[in-house]
Amino acid sequence: DAKTTQPNSMESNEEEPVHLPCNHSTISGTDYIHWYRQLPSQGPEYVIHGLTSNVNNRMASLAIAEDRKSSTLILHRATLRDAAVYYCILRPNHYGGATNKLIFGTGTLLAVQP
Amino acid sequence: EAGVVQSPRYKIIEKKQPVAFWCNPISGHNTLYWYLQNLGQGPELLIRYENEEAVDDSQLPKDRFSAERLKGVDSTLKIQPAELGDSAVYLCASSLVAVRGTGELFFGEGSRLTVL
């Protein structure tokens, strides 16, 4: 399974943008890039995913490098509720099968200062 | 709409005792996952079901762990006997069958196990 590399921790100030990087140099052409986050004492929750083009939703934006070997999750205005562990995950483009699963790394712990 | 429901939220047992966790997935979701999460680590997949069938249980320690998903809805994860190293959070997640790798997983709040 292709691996991702993320910084262990990052800090941000409230109401400022946050750019969370992820390196995935061994990504295959069919892997989707998924981001999940985990708030304290909760299960992970889906944030966003993409394949090649940049993506936006109500929670965040995902910027994918042209060679797809890295991506950046962008929180446009961080709030205290955004303090969480953010996981960058590669998910194979298969319908069902044993490889259709999410493999989590250790993620980036984001601290948001008021 | 109700999310993924897990119980109990917390369980404290002595080593060598049995323990069971229950998961009720989101209605209509045919894929169910059990993950284990140790402190400071990301979740690790234990087993994945598609309907009643366990399609990936390669990471489940079968000597002491067992799981079942009768009728393709609720699921239970059992540990017997529990060991000190089993202290962790056990997460259940569900999804629709992923189409081309895009299926979103919905997680429960987890069951925190402490083995004394």
Side-chain angles (χ1 to χ4, degrees):
Chain A
D1 297 310
K3 303 293 187 194
T4 63
T5 304
Q6 300 177 253
N8 288 333
S9 62
M10 291 183 64
E11 277 196 9
S12 173
N13 293 318
E14 199 175 9
E15 299 196 1
E16 290 186 355
V18 182
H19 290 232
L20 296 163
C22 181
N23 287 320
H24 30 79
S25 58
T26 60
I27 190 171
S28 76
T30 57
D31 286 341
Y32 278 78
I33 302 161
H34 284 246
W35 283 81
Y36 280 71
R37 73 178 185 180
Q38 187 170 21
L39 280 65
S41 300
Q42 294 190 24
E45 65 174 345
Y46 168 83
V47 177
I48 200 167
H49 76 275
L51 184 60
T52 56
S53 303
N54 294 344
V55 184
N56 300 296
N57 66 19
R58 62 175 180 82
M59 291 181 70
S61 295
L62 176 60
I64 302 173
E66 198 167 330
D67 63 5
R68 300 209 328 123
K69 293 186 177 182
S70 65
S71 60
T72 302
L73 180 70
I74 302 166
L75 307 179
H76 295 285
R77 289 182 64 202
T79 69
L80 297 178
R81 289 172 294 180
D82 291 322
V85 177
Y86 287 78
Y87 296 100
C88 170
I89 303 160
L90 300 183
R91 191 168 189 190
N93 183 13
H94 296 295
Y95 179 83
T99 57
N100 187 14
K101 58 190 178 186
L102 257 57
I103 299 176
F104 289 79
T106 53
T108 297
L109 176 62
L110 175 66
V112 180
Q113 305 299 328
Chain B
E1 180 182 347
V4 176
V5 179
Q6 291 188 245
S7 69
R9 282 277 281 147
Y10 304 93
K11 188 73 175 180
I12 301 174
I13 61 172
E14 295 189 346
K15 63 180 180 181
K16 300 185 181 180
Q17 295 299 305
V19 63
F21 306 111
W22 174 80
C23 173
N24 179 240
I26 291 174
S27 177
H29 283 191
N30 60 339
T31 305
L32 185 146
Y33 311 74
W34 282 102
Y35 282 84
L36 174 154
Q37 186 170 27
N38 289 306
L39 189 63
Q41 303 295 313
E44 303 169 32
L45 181 68
L46 289 173
I47 190 168
R48 177 169 68 90
Y49 285 92
E50 288 184 9
N51 300 306
E52 303 87 2
E53 182 182 0
V55 296
D56 184 0
D57 63 355
S58 57
Q59 301 302 312
L60 189 73
K62 298 181 181 64
D63 56 337
R64 298 183 299 106
F65 285 66
S66 64
E68 62 180 9
R69 191 184 184 199
L70 300 176
K71 301 181 181 178
V73 181
D74 295 359
S75 178
T76 56
L77 177 69
K78 297 178 181 178
I79 308 174
Q80 181 171 13
E83 296 179 353
L84 295 177
D86 296 332
S87 295
V89 176
Y90 292 84
L91 293 161
C92 179
S94 72
S95 70
L96 293 173
V97 174
V99 177
R100 296 189 301 175
T102 60
E104 174 183 347
L105 268 66
F106 294 83
F107 283 82
E109 293 185 302
S111 295
R112 181 178 295 276
L113 173 66
T114 301
V115 182
L116 302 176

